[in-house]
Each structure stands twice: as structure tokens, then as C-alpha cells.
Amino acid sequence: MRTAFYISDGTAITAEVFGHATLSMFPVEFDHKTLPFIESVEKAQAVKATIDKLADSSGEPPLVFFTFVNPELSDIILSSKGVCYDFLSYASEIVKRELKVKPVPKVHRTHSIHEKTYDFRISAVNYALANDDGANIKDYDEADIILVGVSRSGKTPASLYLALQYGIKAANYPITEDDLEKGNFPRFLIDHKNKLFGLTIDPERLASIRQERMANSKYASLRQCRIEVREVEMLFKKHKTPFLNSTKFSVEEISAKIIAEAGLSRNKY
């Protein structure tokens, strides 16, 4: 198993995102180590020593993805025995040539608080929490999107991710057995038909998830899950509600697909 470091004088989120995206293309297992807020020469030298020690003991250089504003700290990491990737500097040089403007690096700028977008996201998170699982249907006029689907199909994590990452106000409502027996959405959902987006899931995966919550119950039985998934998908088709099978996607992928298919605006930047 190889080791990968993600290092920064900030949160290291950018280094992680780029590093993970790159490594995901290779069928190799990695021991991932994230080291944020390496803001001094002393800390950088300590990290270098850790990298060198690991390289010597394992006989293989670790992969090092890093972002630093201070070039002195970058030089320390670059002098280590790791295989280093300073992708941010490489990209900024290309952009600098195109824009003909010098970059003005600032520590923590990438993931720091930008007042307008921060307020968007906090408001959206509060909205998602207040409107989770059909708890507060009176505020659906404020929703950017309303996720619908059977219980445990991924509505809550997607709602929260859309809010936290993109400032999108996402409510979610569980389609109940009673709704399915009636063969229709509740009236208050039909009133917001243009905001609805469905999530479905493979019955086998749904049964596995429900077993963890209510083992050996009708709710968690494969038969019940098959019935609910079949009927909710029929309901989506009846109302021409766009929907996505969430089985094989991460919450990040689910959210990105919802944004793309629903044409939502991102309030992240």
C-alpha cells in the first residue's frame, strides 16, 4: 500500500480534492494522510521529516499533493523524499499568462468565509434541517427543489449536501405506503410539481440499509422494498417527475446530477 499526503497552510481541502480525484483513476490502495494548517517553517520541516522517514522505512516515496501560499514552505516540502505535486502553482502560471495579471496569494482565501455565499449556505442548511423528512411542508414556497422518494433512498444527505456545498434550499419528503396505495402525490406536492425531483434506489440496497435501522421488519423486507420502489417509480413517470437512481452514486455525484438535471443555480462562489 502506498501513502499519499495532502498538505496545506490552509484547510488542505483543495489538495485533497485534486489528489483524490487523481488517485481514483489508479487501481492502487493508498493510506491517506491529511495535514492542514502547516503555516510555519518549523511545521513544514516536521512534515518533511515525516515524509522522509516513511520513504526510508517503506522503500517507496509517498505521493505528496500540496498547496502553499508561502514559497519557502513549498520549497521545504519539495526538498523531501516524496513525489510532490504542486498543481496550484502550475495552474496559476497558465492562468497568469492568459489574464496577464499576477496572482495575489493569500492564506485561507480558497475556503475562507465570503460573507454573501456563507450566508446563502447557512440559510440553506437551516432550511434543509427544518424541512427534512416532510417535517415542515408550509415553507415549500421557499424551496429551490423538493426531493421525493421512499424512505432511505438518500434524500436527507443529498438535501444537506446541496445546502452546505451550494447554498441550495432543498426540502425533502418521504413518499409513504399510504401515498403509494392512493397512487398519487399528496396535494401539497402537486402544488409544487415544478420543484419535485425523485430519488430511487435498487430494492436490494434499500433492504440492506433498512435492515440496519429496523432489522427483520416488514419495512426492511426485500419484498416490501421491491413493491415500494416499483410503485414510486411508476408515480414519478405518471407525473413526469425527473428522478435518479442513487444506488451507485456518492452524495457528491447525486447532488451534481440533481443540479444539472434540474437546472439549479449554485450559490457557492
Side-chain angles (χ1 to χ4, degrees):
M1 180 183 293
R2 297 291 292 271
T3 301
F5 285 90
Y6 311 98
I7 308 167
S8 177
D9 47 12
T11 62
I13 292 173
T14 302
E16 279 187 317
V17 169
F18 179 85
H20 281 290
T22 302
L23 297 182
S24 69
M25 296 186 288
F26 299 92
V28 178
E29 286 194 30
F30 288 91
D31 179 15
H32 302 279
K33 298 182 183 294
T34 301
L35 304 175
F37 304 114
I38 306 303
E39 300 170 294
S40 67
V41 168
E42 292 75 20
K43 287 183 178 180
Q45 288 173 337
V47 170
K48 176 183 180 298
T50 298
I51 295 170
D52 290 348
K53 182 178 180 180
L54 184 59
D56 290 338
S57 63
S58 66
E60 294 181 318
L63 306 184
V64 181
F65 299 88
F66 70 92
T67 60
F68 284 108
V69 169
N70 185 341
E72 184 179 7
L73 303 183
S74 294
D75 289 342
I76 293 171
I77 300 303
L78 285 168
S79 70
S80 73
K81 295 180 181 180
V83 179
C84 300
Y85 303 93
D86 183 10
F87 61 92
L88 198 57
S89 294
Y90 173 75
S92 65
E93 279 298 314
I94 295 174
V95 175
K96 181 179 74 173
R97 289 197 295 271
E98 175 62 28
L99 298 180
K100 299 179 176 58
V101 175
K102 289 185 178 181
V104 184
K106 182 180 178 183
V107 176
H108 309 318
R109 175 178 287 172
T110 307
H111 298 283
S112 62
I113 291 177
H114 301 277
E115 184 173 345
K116 186 176 180 180
T117 55
Y118 178 79
D119 289 345
F120 267 130
R121 288 188 287 169
I122 293 302
S123 176
V125 169
N126 289 334
Y127 180 86
L129 291 171
N131 291 273
D132 180 47
D133 211 27
N136 189 22
I137 61 175
K138 65 182 179 64
D139 291 331
Y140 280 6
D141 284 339
E142 298 177 31
D144 296 313
I145 194 163
I146 303 168
L147 303 183
V148 291
V150 298
S151 173
R152 298 289 152 171
S153 56
K155 302 181 301 300
T156 294
S159 297
L160 289 171
Y161 190 86
L162 286 166
L164 183 60
Q165 189 71 4
Y166 301 114
I168 290 170
K169 288 187 175 180
N172 75 80
Y173 182 84
I175 302 300
T176 65
E177 193 172 359
D178 186 48
D179 296 325
L180 295 175
E181 287 176 358
K182 292 177 181 177
N184 211 350
F185 288 137
R187 179 75 250 176
F188 57 83
L189 286 183
I190 296 174
D191 290 341
H192 298 283
K193 185 176 179 179
N194 63 324
K195 294 182 179 181
L196 300 184
F197 193 99
L199 288 181
T200 185
I201 186 172
D202 289 353
E204 292 77 11
R205 175 60 179 154
L206 181 61
S208 175
I209 293 170
R210 288 182 173 185
Q211 281 289 344
E212 294 180 7
R213 185 182 183 192
M214 297 179 68
N216 303 317
S217 63
K218 175 187 175 184
Y219 166 80
S221 71
L222 182 56
R223 180 177 182 276
Q224 180 67 20
C225 291
R226 283 173 174 162
I227 291 171
E228 289 186 28
V229 169
R230 181 180 68 248
E231 292 184 356
V232 81
E233 289 182 0
M234 290 173 60
L235 198 54
F236 293 154
K237 292 172 184 175
K238 173 183 177 181
H239 287 279
K240 297 182 179 178
T241 300
F243 67 95
L244 170 70
N245 188 313
S246 66
T247 307
K248 296 182 180 180
F249 297 117
S250 66
V251 67
E252 294 90 346
E253 292 171 314
I254 292 168
S255 300
K257 286 177 178 290
I258 290 171
I259 290 172
E261 294 187 28
L264 296 174
S265 297
R266 306 181 185 209
N267 297 314
K268 181 179 179 181
Y269 303 106

